[in-house]
């Protein structure tokens, strides 16, 4: 029992024993003196003894207080920080020795130990880094493939939890609240098609049929996004364990098949309409033809009527064929890939295609601009036109200019000379552009782009071939496309071995899914009308920060932001004027934090703002909550500093420059602090969420008691 007592309690008991022992000895000495002197000295001895005993107790208490303040507390702080340094595995952690100034060489020695440990860790990390450089290079190659792969890639365990996704999955399935490591796959896609495909291929593996099956351990799958927005098509493939004896998970590759499937259905409908629509006029024409050619010699009036029927049906048939041909061309055209591209890029590619004609100079003229086209086929067509123009006119220089005008971008091939007649370039349109592409011609490219070309004079001595194309779909100048993370850091293969979790309280801290969040507000009093102006969060999974899974929104508070608050977080009324209000933002944050532990620094403050909005948004923030202030108090004692700045300095964590007191920067640093606290908590026996909640409750009780004094 005594082994579990804290150092301060033991020292207090030691001084109490010294005081009480001294008082007992003092009283014994006075009794002995009274026996020798006689009864007449008893009142004097009692008075002197009382004063001396009280003085002894006061002196003992005073010395204990000094010892506690200058020795016991600093020793506990040093031990806590040494533990944190040892367990947090940070090479940048710094040991504060300010309060250990009366401990002699102990403070500098502890700081030296921490520095030496940091140096040893740095050396060890360098050795480890050198040893795994080759692995990291292979990992980087894999990440580059995943990042640039234009198919959505998801790897899941058998509980259908996501353990890897690439940038295309993030783009296709949702950047905000839905996709995330450890989160259910079936929040993103419809469940039954994927389950059916998984059951099929698992049964194939169990029966051993995969060894001879042409698809081995994969199967085609068609599903949809949960909101029904997209139809997805791809393959599901099993992941086996190292021995190849058991299924560990599966890989799901998907692409957007909404338009191709719709086009296929439209073609089927078109074919059905063609068969049904052509049957009647064809039968009428056949019947009329049989009557006229059957030797029945109808009279002139009947013959005229039959000729009229045949003419009318022929015209009906011609109109229907024209309409069906047009509809078919629309479907055929719609299957081509169209992308935004710059004019300079088109010129550079066309120049490469004409590398075998060194005598022809191809130059870009005018300013660059963006346009929308199938760049491959357009480049091939421009290269063909340049070859033919050079061959027909003998010119050695052709300029390509792109000019936005009237809802089009006019791509002009300009040369010195006279315009070409239509009969001159008409044959070019029917020549195949590239071998192996089913005879693709320039006319096909024009049809695909719904455009045409013509030649005209430009100035007194120049001519051009003009090609109108569509402008770019996106605004690449004033509103550049938002960037996805440069590499897919969103993976965690430890989830591959994870099985269905029991009670959440029993989940180890190292396996928790957390959302660490922070708010910036108009003031400090939520119950008095202060409102949130910014909320941000970042996910922590399996003890590491998933920086690619973040939430960061400004909120219109519906009231003015005091200047004093703006001085702290830098958010002004103008910055939130066009932002959504809490009714729109907080449900999205609730989705982002679903099934996770909420973590904050001084959590009651931030959580109060959320709880006051539960009635407004119709949702409850009933997640388990951890507070890094309370966890720090448990580890380092209530006498240490537990501000976010102090914890960040203790663990060697830096704030992004100029972003202190922004919600996302504070949430990110709090997340890093949490990851440093978890191994220290584990070393102190706090291993599960339930343990962490219990010690947090103890810390709350202690702080409440301290507040009374």
């Amino acid at each position: 029992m005594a082994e579990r007592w804290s150092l301060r309690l033991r020292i207090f008991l030691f001084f109490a024993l010294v005081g009480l022992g001294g008082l007992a000895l003092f009283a014994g000495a006075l009794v002995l003196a009274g026996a020798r002197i006689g009864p007449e000295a008893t009142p004097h001895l009692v008075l002197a003894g009382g004063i001396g005993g009280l003085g002894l107790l006061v002196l003992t208490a005073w010395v204990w207080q000094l010892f506690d303040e200058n020795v016991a507390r600093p020793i506990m702080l040093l031990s806590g920080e040494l533990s944190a340094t040892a367990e947090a595995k940070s090479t940048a952690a710094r040991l504060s020795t300010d309060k250990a100034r009366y401990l002699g060489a102990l403070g500098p020695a502890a700081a030296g130990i921490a520095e030496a440990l940091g140096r040893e860790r740095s050396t060890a990390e360098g050795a480890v880094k050198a040893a795994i450089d080759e692995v990291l290079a292979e990992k980087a190659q894999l990440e580059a493939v995943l990042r640039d792969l234009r198919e959505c890639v998801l790897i899941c365990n058998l509980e259908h939890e996501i353990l890897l996704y690439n940038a295309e999955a993030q783009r296709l399935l949702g950047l905000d609240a839905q996709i995330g490591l450890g989160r259910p796959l079936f929040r993103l896609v419809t469940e039954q098609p994927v389950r059916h495909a998984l059951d099929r291929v698992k049964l194939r593996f169990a029966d051993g049929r995969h060894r001879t099956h042409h698809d081995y351990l994969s199967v085609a799958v068609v599903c949809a996004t949960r909101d029904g927005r997209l139809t997805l098509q791809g393959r599901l493939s099993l992941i086996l364990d190292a021995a190849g004896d058991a299924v560990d998970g599966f890989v799901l590759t998907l692409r957007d098949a909404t338009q191709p499937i719709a086009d296929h259905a439209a073609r089927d409908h078109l074919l059905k309409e063609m068969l049904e629509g052509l049957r009647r006029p064809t039968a009428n024409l056949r019947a009329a033809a049989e009557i006229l050619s059957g030797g029945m010699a109808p009279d002139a009036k009947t013959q005229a009527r039959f000729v009229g029927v045949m003419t009318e049906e022929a015209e009906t048939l011609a109109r229907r064929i024209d309409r069906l041909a047009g509809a078919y061309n629309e479907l055929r055209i719609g299957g081509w890939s169209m992308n935004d591209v710059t004019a300079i890029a088109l010129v550079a590619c066309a120049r490469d295609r004409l590398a075998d004609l060194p005598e022809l100079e191809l130059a870009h003229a005018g300013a660059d601009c963006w346009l929308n086209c199938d760049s491959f086929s357009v480049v091939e067509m421009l290269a063909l036109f340049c070859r033919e123009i050079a061959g027909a006119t003998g010119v050695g220089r052709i300029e390509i200019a792109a000019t936005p005008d009237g809802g089009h971008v006019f791509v002009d091939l300009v040369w010195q000379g006279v315009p070409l007649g239509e009969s001159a370039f008409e044959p070019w349109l029917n020549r195949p552009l590239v071998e192996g592409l089913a005879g693709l011609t320039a006319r096909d490219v024009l049809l695909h782009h719904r455009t045409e070309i013509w030649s005209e004079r430009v100035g007194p001595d120049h001519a051009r071939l003009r090609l109108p194309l569509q402008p770019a779909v996106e605004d690449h100048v004033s509103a550049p496309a938002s960037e996805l993370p440069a590499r897919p850091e969103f993976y965690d293969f430890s989830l591959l071995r994870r099985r269905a979790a029991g009670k959440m309280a029993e989940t180890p801290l190292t396996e928790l899914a957390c959302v660490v969040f922070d708010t910036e507000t108009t003031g400090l009093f939520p119950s008095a009308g202060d409102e949130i102006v910014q909320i941000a969060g970042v996910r922590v999974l399996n003890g590491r920060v998933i920086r690619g899974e973040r939430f960061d929104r400004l909120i219109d508070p519906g009231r003015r932001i005091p200047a004093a608050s703006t001085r702290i977080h830098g958010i002004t009324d103008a910055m939130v004027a066009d932002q959504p209000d809490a009714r729109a933002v907080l449900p999205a944050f609730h989705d982002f934090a679903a099934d996770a532990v909420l973590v904050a620094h001084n959590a009651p403050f931030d959580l109060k703002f959320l709880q006051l909005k539960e009635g407004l948004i119709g949702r409850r923030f009933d997640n388990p909550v951890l507070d890094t202030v309370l966890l720090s108090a448990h580890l380092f004692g209530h006498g240490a500093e537990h501000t976010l700045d102090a914890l960040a300095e203790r663990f060697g964590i830096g704030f992004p420059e100029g972003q202190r007191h922004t919600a996302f920067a504070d949430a990110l640093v709090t997340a890093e602090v949490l990851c440093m606290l978890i191994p220290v908590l584990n070393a102190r026996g706090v291993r599960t969420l339930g343990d962490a909640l219990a010690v947090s409750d103890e810390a709350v009780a202690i702080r409440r008691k301290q507040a009374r004094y």
Side-chain angles (χ1 to χ4, degrees):
M1 179 65 179
E3 295 176 356
R4 300 177 60 185
W5 293 347
S6 70
L7 175 64
R8 292 181 65 199
L9 177 59
R10 295 183 189 197
I11 291 175
F12 171 76
L13 293 176
F14 171 78
F15 274 95
L17 182 61
V18 169
L20 293 175
L23 189 61
L25 290 174
F26 197 71
L30 290 176
V31 169
L32 181 61
R36 286 181 174 271
I37 296 173
E40 65 279 3
T42 298
H44 301 288
L45 291 175
V46 170
L47 177 61
I51 294 173
L54 180 62
L56 178 63
L57 290 177
V58 170
L59 178 63
T60 303
W62 180 61
V63 174
W64 165 76
Q65 186 177 11
L66 289 176
F67 197 89
D68 182 70
E69 183 68 28
N70 297 293
V71 178
R73 286 190 180 186
I75 287 176
M76 290 189 69
L77 288 174
L78 274 180
S79 66
E81 294 196 13
L82 277 173
S83 264
T85 302
E87 299 296 338
K89 300 179 175 56
S90 170
T91 59
R94 291 182 289 274
L95 195 67
S96 174
T97 59
D98 294 342
K99 294 186 178 182
R101 58 185 178 276
Y102 296 116
L103 298 180
L106 182 59
I113 291 172
E115 290 176 5
L117 183 59
R119 288 194 298 270
E120 289 300 319
R121 280 181 177 156
S122 294
T123 303
E125 285 185 4
V128 171
K129 181 178 182 301
I132 62 174
D133 274 348
E134 184 176 350
V135 176
L136 289 178
E138 293 178 359
K139 172 174 167 284
Q141 292 173 353
L142 173 63
E143 290 173 344
V145 170
L146 288 173
R147 181 185 65 237
D148 299 329
L149 194 64
R150 301 322 297 169
E151 279 194 336
C152 157
V153 177
L154 298 162
I155 298 181
C156 303
N157 60 21
L158 292 180
E159 280 66 55
H160 315 106
E161 295 171 327
I162 298 170
L163 59 94
L164 176 145
Y165 58 93
N166 65 343
E168 180 63 14
Q170 198 178 34
R171 184 197 68 79
L172 189 66
L173 300 177
L175 286 168
D176 258 351
Q178 298 301 317
I179 196 166
L181 295 182
R183 287 184 165 169
L185 170 68
F186 299 132
R187 284 186 184 172
L188 307 174
V189 299
T190 48
E191 181 173 351
Q192 289 306 319
V194 177
R195 282 191 180 275
H196 176 68
L198 182 59
D199 290 343
R200 283 179 57 200
V201 73
K202 283 170 67 177
L203 184 61
R204 183 192 304 165
F205 172 74
D207 292 344
R209 291 183 289 111
H210 63 288
R211 297 185 182 91
T212 57
H213 199 282
H214 64 280
D215 279 336
Y216 189 51
L217 290 175
S218 70
V219 65
V221 62
V222 177
C223 58
T225 54
R226 284 301 297 266
D227 57 9
R229 180 173 49 92
L230 300 175
T231 301
L232 306 172
Q233 188 175 25
R235 299 196 72 80
L236 185 149
S237 303
L238 293 186
I239 300 173
L240 304 182
D241 63 9
D245 297 330
V247 178
D248 268 349
F250 60 93
V251 180
L252 190 62
T253 58
L254 299 169
R255 64 183 181 276
D256 182 3
T258 308
Q259 191 59 48
I261 289 177
D263 289 346
H264 184 76
R267 288 189 182 98
D268 287 345
H269 177 75
L270 188 64
L271 180 60
K272 179 181 179 181
E273 182 182 358
M274 179 183 71
L275 293 175
E276 293 180 352
L278 299 183
R279 184 178 291 115
R280 185 184 61 82
T282 303
N284 290 339
L285 285 173
R286 177 181 295 174
E290 289 176 351
I291 292 173
L292 290 176
S293 61
M296 298 176 64
D299 55 37
K301 184 177 180 180
T302 302
Q303 185 174 358
R305 184 164 61 85
F306 275 113
V307 170
V309 169
M310 292 179 68
T311 302
E312 180 182 351
E313 293 294 349
E315 291 176 352
T316 300
L317 190 60
R319 286 194 300 270
R320 187 175 295 274
I321 290 174
D322 288 342
R323 186 173 65 81
L324 292 175
Y328 173 75
N329 282 332
E330 288 293 322
L331 288 173
R332 186 167 65 90
I333 288 170
W336 285 36
S337 172
M338 305 286 279
N339 297 285
D340 290 351
V341 65
T342 63
I344 287 180
L346 289 180
V347 174
C349 293
R351 190 182 291 121
D352 288 342
R353 296 291 294 121
L354 296 170
D356 59 328
L357 289 179
E359 65 276 12
L360 176 61
E361 179 186 356
L362 190 63
H364 176 258
D368 192 19
C369 69
W370 287 84
L371 57 146
N372 184 264
C373 66
D374 173 49
S375 58
F376 172 75
S377 61
V378 168
V379 164
E380 295 296 330
M381 182 173 65
L382 292 177
L384 170 69
F385 289 163
C386 288
R387 288 178 186 274
E388 298 297 341
I389 290 171
T393 64
V395 298
R397 175 184 171 87
I398 297 176
E399 293 182 348
I400 299 183
T403 309
D405 186 15
H408 287 86
V409 175
F410 290 94
V411 179
D412 297 327
L413 304 182
V414 183
W415 67 93
Q416 187 173 9
V418 298
L420 298 170
E422 184 174 345
S423 59
F425 61 78
E426 182 68 21
W428 307 347
L429 301 183
N430 297 319
R431 294 179 186 172
L433 295 178
V434 182
E435 293 182 4
L437 286 182
L440 179 71
T441 67
R443 191 180 302 279
D444 294 327
V445 177
L446 294 177
L447 177 64
H448 160 56
H449 288 83
R450 298 181 177 87
T451 189
E452 57 184 348
I453 61 168
W454 64 88
S455 182
E456 61 187 17
R457 184 175 298 277
V458 184
D461 56 354
H462 281 76
R464 68 185 176 195
L465 196 65
R466 170 153 279 204
L467 172 66
L469 293 173
Q470 293 298 313
V473 174
E474 298 182 17
D475 184 356
H476 298 272
V477 179
S478 61
S482 59
E483 294 185 2
L484 291 172
R487 64 183 182 86
E489 67 169 21
F490 16 83
Y491 57 89
D492 191 336
F493 289 105
S494 64
L495 291 171
L496 194 62
R497 297 280 190 261
R498 206 160 118 185
R499 296 297 181 256
K503 296 179 181 178
M504 196 170 188
E506 298 171 2
T507 305
L509 294 177
T510 53
E511 297 180 13
L512 278 183
C514 302
V515 167
V516 185
F517 78 104
D518 185 64
T519 62
E520 300 299 337
T521 63
T522 60
L524 304 177
F525 305 103
S527 299
D530 280 317
E531 299 284 349
I532 302 173
V533 297
Q534 185 182 29
I535 184 168
V538 63
R539 293 190 79 224
V540 171
L541 187 65
N542 287 358
R544 73 184 186 97
V545 182
I546 312 298
R547 293 172 177 262
E549 295 180 15
R550 57 184 286 178
F551 187 96
D552 189 3
R553 301 282 183 85
L554 289 172
I555 298 177
D556 182 359
R559 54 166 291 180
R560 294 188 63 81
I561 304 174
S565 298
T566 297
R567 280 195 295 272
I568 295 173
H569 50 56
I571 300 173
T572 64
D573 291 322
M575 293 170 63
V576 299
D578 297 326
Q579 299 299 322
D581 60 12
R583 188 195 300 269
V585 174
L586 293 186
F589 179 74
H590 187 276
D591 291 338
F592 181 75
D595 303 325
V597 177
L598 284 175
V599 182
H601 194 78
N602 192 19
F605 175 80
D606 301 281
L607 201 60
K608 184 67 173 178
F609 281 94
L610 298 183
Q611 290 173 339
L612 287 175
K613 297 298 181 185
E614 289 179 341
L616 176 69
I617 65 174
R619 303 193 189 188
R620 294 188 61 201
F621 289 94
D622 52 4
N623 313 55
V625 179
L626 289 177
D627 189 339
T628 49
V629 172
L630 300 178
L631 297 177
S632 174
H634 171 74
L635 292 174
F636 307 120
H638 294 272
E641 284 190 69
H642 305 296
T643 64
L644 186 56
D645 295 276
L647 289 177
E649 183 179 359
R650 180 172 291 143
F651 290 116
I653 300 168
F655 286 88
E657 186 173 354
Q659 296 188 44
R660 179 66 173 102
H661 293 301
T662 64
F664 183 73
D666 287 4
L668 186 60
V669 170
T670 304
E672 298 283 4
V673 166
L674 176 68
C675 293
M676 291 293 189
L677 289 174
I678 286 174
V680 186
L681 289 165
N682 268 308
R684 298 284 188 88
V686 182
R687 296 185 173 86
T688 67
L689 174 60
D691 295 338
L693 293 173
V695 299
S696 297
D697 290 342
E698 292 175 6
V700 169
I702 293 173
R703 293 169 80 86
R704 283 175 178 167
K705 289 179 181 179
Q706 289 177 334
R708 298 174 185 171
Y709 301 101

